[in-house]
Amino acid sequence: MTTARRLDGYTLDDWESLDPQEGRRIELVDGRFVVTPAPAAKHQRVGDRLARILDDAVASEGMEALTAIGVRVGEHFGYIPGVVVTTERVETVSVDVANVALVVEIVSPSTKKSDRLEKPAALAAAGVPAYWRVELDIADGPVIYCHRLNGGVYSDVVTLTPGNREPVHVVGTISVTFDPADLHKPRR
């Protein structure tokens, strides 16, 4: 017999022991499992293309950019961001927040509140140096709001808009320059 909820809340160990669920993303938020639909194709395309850009930029420093990897934020918090830049190579299903240089969340209809308010607050409190939020519901292409940790909260650094190429700091001395429109348009 299993129970649907533990009175003392679920932990990172509980979260990491879950079997993957086809078509679902399961995060741990304040000791509760939060289940959302798997991202749509546009969301995945943008995440995959952005991960390639970031991975190419950070590889020479022994870092990597990954999609769909868990981030262990606290005993009762575990998120699965759109893209994560880690400070070292990861071989597990999740990475400790101390080894994360950048989190990128791609906003979906079911995650708007969390991606805009809850996750940035939790990640800032955990000390993640940078947080980018990608808004997809723009006609010309995604808009990317880039934030850096400043005094325990995220402050705006730059907003990347479709049709414009502007350098944005990733980590250390590494910056990238790209047009957000290229993240979703057909490649042929």
Side-chain angles (χ1 to χ4, degrees):
M1 183 171 137
T2 61
T3 58
R5 175 146 170 82
R6 290 172 49 174
L7 292 177
D8 59 347
Y10 293 101
T11 66
L12 286 173
D13 289 339
D14 297 323
W15 178 59
E16 290 179 324
S17 71
L18 293 174
D19 290 328
Q21 298 292 312
E22 188 73 31
R24 293 179 179 86
R25 181 171 282 195
I26 303 172
E27 295 182 313
L28 179 65
V29 179
D30 199 20
R32 297 175 295 113
F33 292 131
V34 176
V35 181
T36 55
K42 183 176 183 179
H43 181 286
Q44 292 180 43
R45 182 178 303 111
V46 168
D48 288 345
R49 290 180 182 174
L50 185 54
R52 279 194 294 271
I53 291 168
L54 292 169
D55 196 52
D56 287 346
V58 301
S60 65
E61 299 295 319
M63 301 175 163
E64 65 182 338
L66 301 166
T67 60
I69 185 136
V71 175
R72 298 184 303 273
V73 179
E75 182 60 21
H76 296 281
F77 289 87
Y79 297 122
I80 305 174
V83 180
V84 176
V85 174
T86 64
T87 58
E88 58 189 32
R89 185 173 174 86
V90 177
E91 298 295 344
T92 57
V93 297
S94 64
V95 61
D96 189 79
V97 71
N99 297 323
V100 174
L102 166 65
V103 166
V104 180
E105 280 294 359
I106 302 163
V107 177
S108 295
S110 64
T111 64
K112 283 181 183 179
K113 179 182 175 188
S114 178
D115 293 344
R116 293 175 181 162
L117 301 172
E118 296 163 4
K119 288 181 184 179
L123 294 165
V128 174
Y131 181 83
W132 295 1
R133 188 182 79 243
V134 180
E135 297 283 345
L136 295 176
D137 294 334
I138 312 300
D140 297 335
V143 172
I144 304 173
Y145 298 91
C146 303
H147 309 279
R148 298 279 321 149
L149 194 59
N150 183 11
V153 297
Y154 289 121
S155 57
D156 296 337
V157 174
V158 66
T159 300
L160 303 175
T161 57
N164 295 307
R165 292 179 176 274
E166 189 168 344
V168 61
H169 178 258
V170 179
V171 62
T173 60
I174 301 168
S175 294
V176 292
T177 303
F178 62 94
D179 182 346
D182 293 338
L183 299 175
H184 88 96
K185 68 182 182 182
R187 293 173 31 160
R188 40 183 165 216

